[in-house]
Amino acid sequence: MSPEKLVRPEILALTAYQVPEAQGMVKLDAMENPYPLPPALRRELAEALSRVDLNRYPEPTGRRVRELLARRMNLPAGMELLLGNGSDDLLQIITLAVARPGTTMMYPAPSFVMYGMNAALCGMKAVAVPLREDFSFDAGAFLVRMKSERPELVFIAYPNNPTGVLYPEEDVLRVIRAAEGLVVLDEAYHVFAGRTFMQRLGEHPNLVVLRTLSKLGLAGIRLGYLAGRPQWIEQFNKVRQAYNVNVLTQAAALFMLERLEVLEEQAARIRTERAVLGAALAGLPGVTVFPSQANFFLVRVPRAERTYEALRRQGVLVRNLHPGLRDCLRITVGTPDENRILLTALQEAL
Ligand SMILES: *Cc1c(COP(=O)(O)O)cnc(C)c1O
């Protein structure tokens, strides 16, 4: 019996998520916060983690983490949180909970690859509605399509990945109001955009807000959270693997949420650097920079494939989105030093 005969055709058709080797590279491919924690804080964290009982199962719902997150992230009264092993876990949980034969997921495209990946895994139809040429959101076209497809699930990344574009609030509201299904607003980059629908959860029974600590500086611990009405959380909680957030992640999250200002200060530095890098990139001949409210830029260059390889040879790793996105690279905002190295390398690589 070969796997090809047994495994579902839609799985056979997928390719596993690829992560290139990054050892020794200036790593600007994955929207990570480039700043390490201060040494004193690292020692304190090590001390906190040393007290964790690794022989015990975690508290299944991460109660203390949820309570602290609710306070630190201003969860509105009456709303609840569900924790995930990264927000990737929560995206899968939501999709699994809703998917039935004949159900439909809709999202503007290009967007986060995991939406469509989960649709394929769970047997949902995925309808990807194209953004405009400049990657702005065509709300009119989206609403027309929603009317005919009547999707059970709508995903909107706010701001969007891989474009960095933040859609107008009014356009997102139109989608939420018109949707017959659940709208998942994916706010993975909210610290860089300064915009959120969190405070509007009470107004829209069909809205949930998805967040992650990854882009804020804790990608390694894998912690995402979903905010919404208790009725949604109750159902999604049944799909969650019983111990999806491990004891070390819970302890590290508790420690860092008590010291959130460290990460917020780093995010503020990234926002400042974003402006500097954006202007410098836009000044390079032949480079188009799309407006970003996230911690990365989507750029169009004359020959993306060649430029990507040339950057790599010079020790700079970015994300190559070509050919899916014609001649586009996605570049994470790094430290001032990393950004300088990138710009120098890019001038030669174009
Ligand atoms: C990075 C990203 C995620 C996944 O974040 P994790 O919490 O690390 O799994 C989800 N949505 C969008 C739009 C992202 O860019």
Side-chain angles (χ1 to χ4, degrees):
M1 174 53 77
S2 71
E4 288 76 15
K5 289 207 176 110
L6 196 63
V7 172
R8 290 151 51 197
E10 57 272 35
I11 308 290
L12 292 174
L14 294 174
T15 1
Y17 194 76
Q18 299 288 330
V19 179
E21 174 60 47
Q23 187 76 44
M25 305 278 280
V26 174
K27 193 171 184 309
L28 303 176
D29 67 325
M31 283 81 97
E32 292 146 332
N33 172 343
Y35 297 107
L37 292 177
L41 201 59
R42 295 171 83 110
R43 283 191 293 274
E44 240 188 285
L45 172 61
E47 178 60 33
L49 293 181
S50 76
R51 288 192 294 270
V52 173
D53 290 323
L54 297 183
N55 56 323
R56 301 296 177 193
Y57 283 104
E59 199 286 317
T61 69
R63 184 180 48 79
R64 289 179 60 208
V65 178
R66 283 187 291 116
E67 286 168 3
L68 192 50
L69 262 177
R71 277 209 302 282
R72 301 307 309 254
M73 303 298 171
N74 299 317
L75 184 76
M79 297 300 150
E80 284 184 9
L81 292 176
L82 184 72
L83 303 187
N85 182 19
S87 47
D88 281 353
D89 185 26
L90 294 163
L91 288 169
Q92 195 171 85
I93 287 171
I94 295 166
T95 311
L96 261 174
V98 172
R100 263 175 297 141
T103 52
T104 299
M105 167 197 297
M106 225 171 108
Y107 47 86
S111 193
F112 191 45
V113 290
M114 292 300 169
Y115 306 153
M117 180 96 151
N118 283 321
L121 282 178
C122 301
M124 276 186 104
K125 175 182 170 188
V127 177
V129 183
L131 294 164
R132 295 196 190 94
E133 273 289 296
D134 62 355
F135 303 120
S136 62
F137 182 48
D138 190 344
F142 199 85
L143 288 173
V144 166
R145 199 70 193 276
M146 246 182 21
K147 225 174 181 158
S148 60
E149 298 285 352
R150 307 183 63 188
E152 279 76 10
L153 268 183
V154 175
F155 287 102
I156 296 182
Y158 184 80
N160 190 29
N161 172 12
T163 64
V165 175
L166 183 79
Y167 308 140
E169 190 175 274
E170 189 51 41
D171 285 346
V172 176
L173 276 173
R174 284 170 70 195
V175 171
I176 296 169
R177 289 196 194 107
E180 297 172 66
L182 177 66
V183 178
V184 181
L185 213 63
D186 184 346
E187 296 187 349
Y189 300 96
H190 81 281
V191 280
F192 306 107
R195 290 297 177 96
T196 179
F197 273 70
M198 188 73 97
Q199 301 313 317
R200 293 174 171 269
L201 281 169
E203 299 162 39
H204 307 285
N206 64 333
L207 174 69
V208 291
V209 169
L210 184 65
R211 295 259 191 95
T212 174
L213 298 185
S214 293
K215 298 352 189 294
L216 188 58
L218 299 173
I221 73 171
R222 313 301 301 130
L223 189 72
Y225 56 104
L226 182 73
R229 303 198 162 208
Q231 294 90 331
W232 288 116
I233 301 300
E234 181 190 353
Q235 299 308 324
F236 296 142
N237 194 37
K238 300 176 192 173
V239 184
R240 184 180 61 78
Q241 289 196 13
Y243 302 114
N244 64 334
V245 181
N246 72 72
V247 285
L248 291 170
T249 294
Q250 292 193 27
L254 283 173
F255 180 90
M256 286 312 303
L257 287 168
E258 297 280 13
R259 295 157 183 83
L260 201 56
E261 64 285 351
V262 176
L263 300 178
E264 280 169 347
E265 189 267 330
Q266 292 179 340
R269 275 152 75 186
I270 294 169
R271 289 195 301 267
T272 304
E273 279 310 308
R274 172 178 69 193
V276 177
L277 179 62
L281 286 169
L284 294 176
V287 176
T288 306
V289 184
F290 295 94
S292 170
Q293 292 299 309
N295 62 340
F296 60 87
F297 283 102
L298 183 75
V299 298
R300 179 159 277 144
V301 295
R303 293 167 300 245
E305 202 75 60
R306 239 183 69 160
T307 303
Y308 171 80
E309 287 302 336
L311 284 174
R312 220 161 67 121
R313 282 194 300 276
Q314 298 190 69
V316 179
L317 189 62
V318 299
R319 184 68 188 261
N320 185 9
L321 298 162
H322 182 85
L325 267 181
R326 182 177 49 84
D327 280 321
C328 282
L329 301 175
R330 191 188 62 196
I331 304 173
T332 307
V333 179
T335 64
D337 277 348
E338 289 176 329
N339 298 338
R340 269 191 292 275
I341 295 170
L342 162 83
L343 286 164
T344 307
L346 191 54
Q347 267 161 332
E348 287 183 34
L350 281 170

